[in-house]
């Protein structure tokens, strides 16, 4: 009974959240539209996260939807690994465009999420396998990984599974396996979805930002930026895919900690000082476990600190990648 009520509430919540109501690529194709082709080389400089076309590539029997910017820069690509319940349109344009000003940047939808085909996985290990398959299908021999929240957990699995594939990592709003409070993310998420429903606000205002004046204003600005792409938006996550991801988080939180001392790659670790989703103690713990880490903790901020402080974070991320 409790599960049924929770499912109904989550279904209603997802339907009610305006920033999760995207037009699906599948619907667009049924109406005669096709996924846009990449911009010609002479237009590459003009492409932004708000208008870059969505493309598709097949790996392991799955058609992965992805967007790509800054290819003309060459060098080591930066692959973005997304957070819980997110699709391509949930990446902050200031973060992606900021990185793409200097780097080749690629973001993709997980299996069974957004415009990607297949059934969603319910473990970080499986999602890491898909990330590796996607990277190799793109023909990349080595990449930099930027994982936010759940994506940071997937990134840890990727580097442990295939260390030669990874040059550097940026891990934001995340923590190690077995970390404090990670197994109960579902409860926090469900509670804040309901808070959003009852107050007429996007749940990310509660999940990602503090309830201080600074946090509230930062949340509003972030949510406005997510609307900048007005056409050819991604499709929202389904309730079944959300539950699969919540199960992956629960399992990750109950899993024995991995030996991260074997990760020799440089890692930039970042978060806010008041993260409710993945408690900030995990950020400090993760940085301690990684032998070659740099830590940034932003004040008066929560899970979405890198979005709140994007003007400071992007230059620091660029400097880290350029070392």
């Amino acid at each position: 009974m409790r599960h049924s009520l929770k499912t109904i509430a989550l279904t209603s919540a997802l339907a009610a959240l305006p920033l999760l109501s995207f037009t699906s690529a599948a619907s667009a194709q049924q109406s005669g539209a096709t996924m846009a082709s990449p911009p010609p080389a002479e237009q590459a400089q003009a492409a932004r996260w708000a208008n870059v076309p969505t493309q598709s590539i097949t790996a392991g029997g799955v058609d992965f939807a992805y967007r790509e910017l800054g290819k003309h820069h060459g060098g080591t690509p930066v692959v973005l690994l997304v957070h819980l319940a997110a699709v391509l349109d949930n990446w902050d344009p200031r973060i992606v465009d900021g990185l793409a000003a200097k780097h080749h940047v690629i973001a993709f939808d997980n299996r069974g999420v957004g415009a990607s085909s297949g059934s969603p996985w319910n473990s970080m290990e499986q999602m890491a396998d898909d990330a590796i398959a996607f990277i190799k299908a793109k023909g990349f021999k080595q990449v930099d990984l930027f994982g936010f929240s759940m994506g940071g957990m997937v990134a840890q699995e990727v580097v442990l599974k295939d260390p030669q594939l990874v040059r550097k990592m940026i891990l934001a709003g995340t923590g190690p396996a077995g970390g404090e409070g990670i197994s109960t993310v579902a409860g926090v998420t469900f509670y804040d979805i309901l808070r959003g429903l009852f107050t007429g606000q996007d749940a990310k205002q509660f999940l990602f930002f503090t309830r201080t004046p600074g946090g509230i204003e930062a949340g509003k600005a972030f949510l406005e930026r997510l609307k900048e792409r007005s056409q050819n938006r991604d499709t929202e996550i389904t309730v079944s895919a959300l539950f699969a991801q919540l199960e992956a988080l629960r399992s990750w939180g109950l899993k024995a900690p991995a030996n991260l001392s074997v990760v020799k790659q440089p890692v930039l670790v970042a978060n806010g000082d008041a993260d409710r989703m993945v408690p900030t103690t995990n950020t400090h713990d993760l940085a301690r476990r990684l032998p070659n880490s740099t830590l940034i903790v932003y004040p008066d901020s929560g899970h979405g600190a890198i979005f709140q402080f994007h003007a400071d974070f992007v230059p620091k991320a660029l400097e880290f990648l350029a070392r």
Side-chain angles (χ1 to χ4, degrees):
M1 178 68 175
R2 181 184 299 174
H3 180 77
S4 298
L5 290 172
K6 189 173 181 180
T7 301
I8 293 168
L10 276 171
T11 303
S12 301
L14 287 169
L17 292 177
L19 292 179
L20 292 176
S21 301
F22 305 143
T23 301
S24 73
S27 299
Q29 289 175 345
Q30 289 172 1
S31 65
T34 58
M35 280 195 175
S37 301
E42 62 270 19
Q43 296 179 2
Q45 297 280 3
R48 297 179 297 111
W49 191 240
N51 60 26
V52 65
T54 303
Q55 304 178 65
S56 180
I57 190 169
T58 301
V62 175
D63 296 327
F64 287 99
Y66 73 96
R67 295 177 190 156
E68 190 168 20
L69 283 172
K71 189 174 182 179
H72 59 284
H73 293 304
T76 305
V78 181
V79 177
L80 310 185
L81 302 174
V82 78
H83 65 81
L84 171 72
V87 296
L88 292 169
D89 293 321
N90 290 111
W91 280 109
D92 190 335
R94 299 300 177 273
I95 298 287
V96 184
D97 288 340
L99 293 175
K102 299 287 185 180
H103 293 274
H104 180 189
V105 178
I106 308 97
F108 68 97
D109 277 333
N110 287 312
R111 172 194 298 252
V113 176
S116 290
S117 68
S119 298
W121 290 131
N122 63 358
S123 79
M124 301 303 172
E125 294 85 354
Q126 292 169 317
M127 285 186 252
D129 288 338
D130 271 357
I132 292 169
F134 172 82
I135 289 166
K136 292 185 175 179
K138 284 289 292 173
F140 302 145
K141 303 301 181 185
Q142 192 173 56
V143 298
D144 294 329
L145 294 178
F146 180 177
F148 173 61
S149 191
M150 183 184 76
M153 300 167 194
V154 174
Q156 292 172 59
E157 286 293 330
V158 170
V159 76
L160 291 172
K161 286 173 176 284
D162 197 341
Q164 298 304 313
L165 189 62
V166 181
R167 186 184 74 110
K168 293 184 177 183
M169 294 194 300
I170 300 173
L171 304 177
T174 194
E180 177 186 335
I182 295 176
S183 65
T184 58
V185 166
V188 177
T189 301
F190 181 54
Y191 174 68
D192 280 351
I193 286 177
L194 291 179
R195 288 173 79 187
L197 269 179
F198 293 141
T199 62
Q201 299 181 68
D202 191 299
K204 289 185 285 296
Q205 182 75 66
F206 301 98
L207 288 166
F208 283 13
F209 300 92
T210 60
R211 302 309 294 160
T212 65
I216 291 169
E217 288 306 309
K220 291 177 180 177
F222 167 72
L223 293 171
E224 285 301 311
R225 294 197 297 273
L226 295 189
K227 299 177 184 177
E228 289 178 359
R229 186 181 183 95
S230 59
Q231 298 181 351
N232 300 313
R233 292 183 66 91
D234 206 346
T235 185
E236 72 274 11
I237 191 170
T238 63
V239 172
S240 60
L242 173 59
F243 274 114
Q245 292 184 354
L246 288 172
E247 174 58 25
L249 282 162
R250 188 188 72 84
S251 298
W252 178 266
L254 296 175
K255 182 179 177 180
N259 178 17
L260 297 179
S261 67
V262 301
V263 178
K264 305 304 181 184
Q265 289 88 341
V267 184
L268 179 63
V269 180
N271 204 355
D273 63 355
D275 189 345
R276 291 179 60 252
M277 290 197 75
V278 183
T280 306
T281 52
N282 290 289
T283 305
H284 293 279
D285 186 22
L286 184 61
R288 284 192 297 266
R289 291 173 181 271
L290 293 162
N292 194 7
S293 68
T294 302
L295 176 64
I296 301 173
V297 176
Y298 287 106
D300 185 26
S301 57
H303 196 60
I306 63 169
F307 309 134
Q308 181 170 343
F309 290 93
H310 62 85
D312 181 85
F313 174 74
V314 168
K316 284 184 168 62
L318 291 173
E319 189 276 330
F320 168 76
L321 294 172
R323 289 177 194 165

